[in-house]
Amino acid sequence: MSVQNAMMESGLFEDLQKKIDEDTQVKDTLREIVQQLEKQGQHTIDQTSARSTRPDRIDSRPRDPSNLVKSTFDAFGRTIENQVQSIQRLAEVASKHPYYRYNYAWTREMQSATFSILYCAYLGGLNTQAGHLLTLSEVTTFMQSTPFPSLLSTLSHPIPLIPLAVPPSAPNTDSFHLTPEEYLQSLISLVDELSRLARNSVTLGDTARPLQISKFIKDVHAGFQVLNLRNDGLRKRSDGVKYRVKEAEDVVYDLSLRGLLPGQGKV
Amino acid sequence: MAEPTSDSPESPFLPIFETFRKEIDEHHERRERVIKASRDITASSKKIIFTLHRLRTIGQSLPDHIAKANKPYTTDIATKLTLIAPDLQGQNADRYSRQISSGLQEYIEAASFQYYLETGTLLTYATAASNVRDLCTGEAKVKLGYEDYILGLYDFTGEVMKFGITAMATSGTIPISGPGRTLLTDLRALRAGLEGVRFGGSPVAREVDKKAEVMRVSVEKVEKALYGLTVRAGERPKGWMPSDGDGGRGEGVEV
């Protein structure tokens, strides 16, 4: 030890560097998975916007979302399946480490994947009834469900919602899970997307859907009223839900004014 | 039949939201408690540092009046840490690490400053972590992350600088911290050590960069002051005091 260094124990900073390097290694592993999830997420978003904007991709017969052109739906399901596989890989790696230490690395992509799942389910995919809002534990169960042959005898698209024996990860553990905040953020994304779908489905000649959407958004809005949100990201975004309520109502209003709602005689 | 805004009195999704309510409320309560405690710990740590600046030498145990003056602040830090320790257990340790970070950093700054003044050496991470643990008198203990330790050390270099400048201005020599060592050689060793630590792309990296710049300036300030002392040393006898109206002393020394 040189005289100059007698101020500090030798190796003090080297030991700290070792801790940082270990940390960096974990982050790199996680980043690789998250980047893949991000790419897959982008793909899903492309498809969801295709669904709400391209006339040839959607069957305009009202009140029957299951008539969404099957090939598009299957593609949607497949992309989500890929996302779920990435999430399961992520869960495996992430569960070995303190949950919130690296949470920032994946939270955005988890929200976007959750949005895809909520949206697909709302449209009637993932073996759910159209208009259904998956709960947090349903989303978790779905993320844990596995399309791999060893656990499921058959797999047909859209992915069946089959819960595994594994219970949804309880909060307050370090194991990988979807947080309520992430779920709610995704739900707001869903509301944003649905208010867009309300307008676009009218363009495509579906005048029944805006009614369903308007009710759905209102119900979600009522749900947010129950929460005491403080000044954080969730609060800021949830403030926007009331504008979506209004947007969807405006569409319904436009339709009813012109007698275009189902049961109003026209169409 | 056409009832476009058919409001059902009760949203079917309420049960979903009800399940979140308690958890979100608890989260905010914990978070606020931690933020408040962090602020208090910061304030008390600053006061400890302030008192320590009354000292002029390195390597002696704290005089009674200093130790006594700082006692209530240390007690306050211990109380606050004990109070929030239960909020920082398990996964919540990392969940609220950003909220408690500034308080812990400031505490490390104070603790390492005091340790340096007493011993002339650097408080290690292990000792710092066990200090933090021991301050919690309850069952639950607060863990000190190594990031907060390092960030605290960066701030500590600023205190060493201020201490050095004041000591040089009042005594006319640079404080000796050990055999063959001065405050400046220590500061340089510290700078070399801290600059050797690479954070890569972590969120702390940006904070570290900012503090690293401040640290460089601190080292330079002490170098400049020492240069001033060296250059002018022969020009005035030891213990020389300025007569009225002579403001020449301490030039180039800013604190």
Side-chain angles (χ1 to χ4, degrees):
Chain A
M1 207 198 291
S2 76
V3 179
Q4 290 264 335
N5 278 341
M7 184 219 178
M8 55 189 81
E9 266 175 32
S10 68
L12 186 143
F13 285 105
E14 287 78 358
D15 285 352
L16 292 170
Q17 186 67 57
K18 241 176 262 162
K19 285 182 207 295
I20 296 173
D21 290 345
E22 282 164 17
D23 221 30
T24 312
Q25 220 164 13
V26 178
K27 274 180 218 157
D28 286 347
T29 316
L30 289 171
R31 192 182 307 136
E32 187 244 326
I33 304 174
V34 170
Q35 271 170 357
Q36 193 175 6
L37 189 56
E38 190 183 349
K39 260 183 247 158
Q40 292 161 339
Q42 193 50 49
H43 194 50
T44 320
I45 289 167
D46 290 346
Q47 274 164 355
T48 58
S49 29
R51 179 155 302 98
S52 49
T53 51
R54 289 188 52 181
D56 58 318
R57 291 293 180 89
I58 201 162
D59 190 310
S60 61
R61 254 182 302 162
R63 285 182 179 284
D64 198 358
S66 63
N67 277 322
L68 288 165
V69 173
K70 199 174 174 311
S71 65
T72 326
F73 226 5
D74 283 359
F76 197 0
R78 266 193 302 277
T79 341
I80 290 182
E81 186 192 328
N82 288 334
Q83 279 178 300
V84 167
Q85 282 177 18
S86 295
I87 290 171
Q88 289 175 355
R89 253 193 343 128
L90 180 64
E92 207 187 308
V93 179
S95 289
K96 293 178 196 145
H97 305 284
Y99 177 78
Y100 279 102
R101 185 159 182 88
Y102 304 105
N103 167 276
Y104 71 93
W106 61 67
T107 182
R108 244 189 71 215
E109 296 315 321
M110 279 299 283
Q111 287 172 33
S112 121
T114 306
F115 159 69
S116 300
I117 292 167
L118 290 179
Y119 192 25
C120 193
Y122 175 83
L123 292 172
L126 311 178
N127 275 8
T128 56
Q129 224 180 343
H132 178 67
L133 172 63
L134 291 182
T135 64
L136 173 63
S137 76
E138 280 173 330
V139 173
T140 308
T141 309
F142 177 73
M143 284 177 172
Q144 287 169 335
S145 73
T146 167
F148 301 122
S150 59
L151 285 148
L152 282 180
S153 45
T154 53
L155 168 74
S156 56
H157 297 285
I159 311 161
L161 185 60
I162 297 178
L164 284 181
V166 190
S169 1
N172 282 324
T173 71
D174 268 335
S175 64
F176 187 80
H177 58 275
L178 185 68
T179 67
E181 286 85 357
E182 286 165 344
Y183 172 82
L184 291 170
Q185 289 278 7
S186 313
L187 183 52
I188 296 170
S189 302
L190 176 68
V191 164
D192 289 348
E193 187 64 27
L194 287 183
S195 87
R196 187 172 157 230
L197 180 63
R199 284 187 299 270
N200 287 330
S201 39
V202 174
T203 315
L204 299 179
D206 179 352
T207 54
R209 195 184 281 278
L211 266 178
Q212 301 155 4
I213 291 177
S214 175
K215 169 146 190 338
F216 183 89
I217 296 182
K218 254 184 234 168
D219 288 342
V220 171
H221 181 252
F224 272 102
Q225 304 288 305
V226 172
L227 304 176
N228 304 314
L229 299 174
R230 312 287 165 91
N231 277 328
D232 56 7
L234 192 56
R235 164 72 183 274
K236 234 175 276 169
R237 278 196 76 209
S238 72
D239 281 346
V241 172
K242 59 176 174 289
Y243 298 107
R244 303 287 100 83
V245 171
K246 186 175 178 302
E247 278 175 35
E249 266 178 3
D250 285 350
V251 174
V252 172
Y253 172 75
D254 281 342
L255 292 176
S256 74
L257 203 62
R258 293 164 179 81
L260 294 173
L261 287 174
Q264 278 190 315
K266 288 194 191 178
V267 182
Chain B
M1 188 57 224
E3 218 190 325
T5 51
S6 60
D7 268 323
S8 53
E10 183 104 314
S11 160
F13 304 148
L14 285 188
I16 298 183
F17 284 87
E18 298 282 4
T19 60
F20 298 144
R21 188 178 166 161
K22 189 162 164 266
E23 202 180 327
I24 289 181
D25 283 350
E26 283 171 359
H27 160 66
H28 285 300
E29 277 160 26
R30 275 194 301 264
R31 195 170 168 275
E32 268 161 33
R33 268 198 301 271
V34 173
I35 290 174
K36 271 187 201 145
S38 180
R39 272 196 212 125
D40 292 345
I41 292 170
T42 304
S44 284
S45 301
K46 276 191 201 298
K47 284 175 191 145
I48 290 178
I49 293 169
F50 193 75
T51 316
L52 290 173
H53 273 296
R54 288 194 226 147
L55 293 169
R56 292 289 172 266
T57 54
I58 300 173
Q60 276 155 17
S61 55
L62 290 190
D64 277 350
H65 70 279
I66 301 277
K68 216 168 147 192
N70 276 340
K71 188 97 198 338
Y73 305 131
T74 315
T75 309
D76 180 54
I77 294 172
T79 312
K80 298 293 150 58
L81 280 175
T82 308
L83 176 78
I84 53 161
D87 292 324
L88 296 171
Q89 297 307 303
Q91 62 165 6
N92 287 338
D94 289 298
R95 190 178 196 179
Y96 305 110
S97 61
R98 210 180 309 160
Q99 280 73 37
I100 190 61
S101 178
S102 61
L104 285 179
Q105 284 179 39
E106 200 74 30
Y107 169 72
I108 291 305
E109 181 179 344
S112 53
F113 187 41
Q114 177 171 339
Y115 191 82
Y116 178 67
L117 292 181
E118 285 177 313
T119 66
T121 58
L122 182 64
L123 182 70
T124 64
Y125 173 52
T127 313
S130 90
N131 283 356
V132 171
R133 238 186 348 261
D134 294 345
L135 281 170
C136 307
T137 49
E139 193 117 311
K141 305 289 179 194
V142 174
K143 281 195 212 83
L144 174 69
Y146 66 84
E147 292 98 335
D148 290 336
Y149 170 72
I150 292 175
L151 290 168
L153 286 194
Y154 272 105
D155 296 337
F156 159 63
T157 60
E159 301 310 328
V160 174
M161 178 274 287
K162 278 182 217 162
F163 177 83
I165 300 284
T166 315
M168 284 153 82
T170 47
S171 74
T173 54
I174 184 142
I176 304 295
S177 54
R181 292 191 292 125
T182 67
L183 179 138
L184 181 59
T185 60
D186 287 347
L187 206 50
R188 285 191 186 129
L190 203 52
R191 173 184 167 165
L194 284 170
E195 281 183 340
V197 178
R198 297 268 151 237
F199 268 93
S202 85
V204 213
R206 222 179 320 151
E207 215 175 325
V208 167
D209 285 348
K210 254 190 282 169
K211 292 192 186 233
E213 189 48 43
V214 176
M215 173 188 70
R216 270 173 224 125
V217 174
S218 290
V219 177
E220 237 175 88
K221 276 184 186 166
V222 176
E223 285 171 347
K224 275 183 191 154
L226 187 58
Y227 160 83
L229 276 186
T230 312
V231 166
R232 289 171 213 124
E235 295 169 14
R236 60 172 180 247
K238 207 173 178 188
W240 177 87
M241 288 295 280
S243 50
D244 283 344
D246 185 350
R249 210 162 76 106
E251 232 169 62
V253 177
E254 40 189 285
V255 180

